[in-house]
Structures are given as structure tokens and as C-alpha cells.
Amino acid sequence: MAKPKIIIAIDGYSSCGKSTVAKELAARLGYNYIDSGAMYRAITLYFLRNNVDFKDSAEILNALADIHLSFAFNEASNKSEIQLNDENVEHYIRDMIVAEKVSEVAAIKEVRAFATAQQKKLGKKRGIVMDGRDIGTTVFPDAELKIFMTASPEVRVKRRFQELYASNPNITLEEVKHNLEMRDYIDSNREESPLRQADDAVVLDNSNLTREEQLEKVIGWVEDRTAANAV
Ligand code: DC
């Protein structure tokens, strides 16, 4: 019996380790991994570079018309990296300057419509793992497997701090904590597709799981879903 390719949606708060599990899962299954947050970050970078007024709908629509987003696989990082108008901006979008504004930009209706339409297209061929905040609720409400990830706030702050410290040794734990709390608040309370657990999502709390343990758990769920959908 052929195993059908499914869609796997992974949602959750900032710095829960969504991209780590999504990337490993996609590699194991031979699926495409799409980091939807990178799209919102690249749009934010464009807005910042071009001084787009976040409150001006006409300016926002004009800017979006000039934005072309794509992903290109980088063998070195083993990941599809975001391209903004054919420039690889993976490095710039991880900067604190972008992190501080991205939730505000991701809450804009026009921005969400733009990003969501592209994300839906990327899922047409199935065989995809996408992580974000609204993947199981809005982008792929019919995804065969929906995972909602959580981890304790202390674990998340520590992980994010370690990640950022490598490129910015001046960063403080307090700054990272404040940014995560602010983003969680905006992401969960915005009007347009706020972050919430889909009714049919399975919860993965990885506060006390190793990378291997969490991957095995998720692979088990995938096997259940693909067996249920086998043709
Ligand atoms: O996953 P991330 O931290 O790179 O995401 C950056 C921001 O983008 C996050 O604060 C919320 C937003 N986002 C969103 O609103 N919807 C998504 N599907 C993915 C990210």
C-alpha cells in the first residue's frame, strides 16, 4: 500500500522549538519544510528598509505588490532559506530589530492575506511540514496532522537567549524575555487569525524531552495518520 504524502501543521508560541522538530521531521520524511514565520519576518524587513508606515493601508498594499518571496534550499544549513526579491535574507530576519516589529506587522490584515495565499499554494503538492501560529487553524485547516507545541517559559527564554547570544553577545536574558512575552501577547490577541490551538491538534510539550524523544513521538503520530490515509 502506498503511503500518501500528508500535510503537517505545527503551531505554537515563540521559541518552543517548532522549527527544530519541523526541520528534522521533513528531512526524515523527505518532505518540504516551510518556515512561515520567515515570510512575516522578510516582509517586516522590507517594511523597515523602505520606511513603510504600518498604519497606512495604501502604503502597505503598494509595498506588498513589490515583494516577491521564495525559498531556496541551502545545503550548508540543510534548510530552505527565505529569499526577499531574490536576496537571501535569512541572516537579517533573525535580528532583534526585526523581532521587535514582526508581531505588529504580522497582525496587519493585508499582510496576513498576502502571506496566507502563498502558504496555501506551497501546500498544493502536499508532502509539507509548515510551522507558524495559524497553520492548523487558517492555512491548512484540513491538515492530516496538527501539532500544537508548548514549553515552559523558562525553557523558551533560555533557548532563545542561547540562539541569539551566538551572534550578539551584548544581549541580555531580560531583553529576550520581554520580546518573547510581547510577541506571545500580540500573536494571541490580534484580530486576524490569532494563535490558538486547533480543536483537532495534538499537544507536544517538549520542556523535558530530548530532540530524539520528541522526533520519535512525532514520527509515531505521522505513522498513525499515514496508515489511516493509505490507499
Ligand atoms: O516563528 P517566528 O518567531 O519566526 O515568527 C515571527 C512572527 O511572525 C511571530 O511573532 C508571529 C508571526 N507569525 C504569524 O503571525 N503567523 C505565522 N503563521 C507565523 C509567524
Side-chain angles (χ1 to χ4, degrees):
M1 241 186 325
K3 275 193 182 169
K5 291 204 165 193
I6 63 169
I7 292 184
I8 302 170
I10 304 182
D11 290 303
Y13 294 103
S14 298
S15 298
C16 279
K18 297 186 295 293
S19 64
T20 303
V21 71
K23 198 163 120 175
E24 290 177 354
L25 188 58
R28 176 83 85 91
L29 299 170
Y31 280 19
N32 244 339
Y33 162 52
I34 298 293
D35 171 359
S36 72
M39 299 170 82
Y40 290 101
R41 286 172 180 265
I43 296 168
T44 305
L45 179 67
Y46 184 94
F47 282 12
L48 291 173
R49 281 178 173 176
N50 293 281
N51 296 314
V52 174
D53 180 352
F54 298 173
K55 305 258 177 283
D56 185 332
S57 299
E59 230 180 86
I60 289 166
L61 285 172
N62 269 339
L64 290 173
D66 287 336
I67 295 179
H68 174 70
L69 299 177
S70 57
F71 285 89
F73 192 76
N74 179 344
E75 304 246 339
S77 65
N78 198 26
K79 176 177 188 265
S80 284
E81 294 183 341
I82 187 104
Q83 319 287 308
L84 169 62
N85 295 336
D86 296 326
E87 175 194 356
N88 185 326
V89 290
E90 188 65 37
H91 178 70
Y92 303 111
I93 62 165
R94 306 291 160 198
D95 206 282
M96 255 324 229
I97 299 164
V98 172
E100 272 168 11
K101 295 287 172 201
V102 64
S103 283
E104 206 180 319
V105 171
I108 301 170
K109 200 164 115 196
E110 293 83 357
V111 169
R112 297 212 72 81
F114 175 84
T116 306
Q118 302 197 16
Q119 289 153 6
K120 284 181 190 275
K121 266 195 210 152
L122 291 166
K124 279 253 158 70
K125 288 196 204 137
R126 312 188 83 73
I128 191 172
V129 183
M130 192 178 285
D131 70 352
R133 306 293 188 288
D134 62 339
I135 310 305
T137 51
T138 305
V139 181
F140 300 127
D142 298 329
E144 287 83 355
L145 175 58
K146 297 180 188 176
I147 300 170
F148 190 82
M149 284 186 67
T150 61
S152 72
E154 298 74 32
V155 168
R156 293 166 51 211
V157 171
K158 205 168 131 205
R159 280 185 194 148
R160 189 79 187 125
F161 176 76
Q162 282 166 349
E163 221 174 270
L164 288 169
Y165 185 79
S167 59
N168 178 7
N170 294 322
I171 196 120
T172 64
L173 264 179
E174 209 36 54
E175 264 178 285
V176 173
K177 183 166 178 274
H178 174 75
N179 179 255
L180 283 189
E181 284 170 353
M182 180 195 74
R183 284 205 283 146
D184 286 349
Y185 181 82
I186 301 177
D187 296 344
S188 312
N189 291 283
R190 67 182 176 220
E191 247 171 65
E192 300 291 325
S193 36
L195 166 65
R196 67 169 182 81
Q197 184 187 330
D199 295 338
D200 49 352
V202 276
V203 176
L204 176 66
D205 182 339
N206 69 2
S207 309
N208 298 306
L209 293 179
T210 64
R211 277 168 80 151
E212 292 74 24
E213 284 167 345
Q214 78 172 357
L215 185 62
E216 286 322 307
K217 212 177 190 12
V218 175
I219 290 285
W221 291 333
V222 173
E223 280 167 1
D224 287 350
R225 300 305 194 279
T226 43
N229 287 285
V231 282

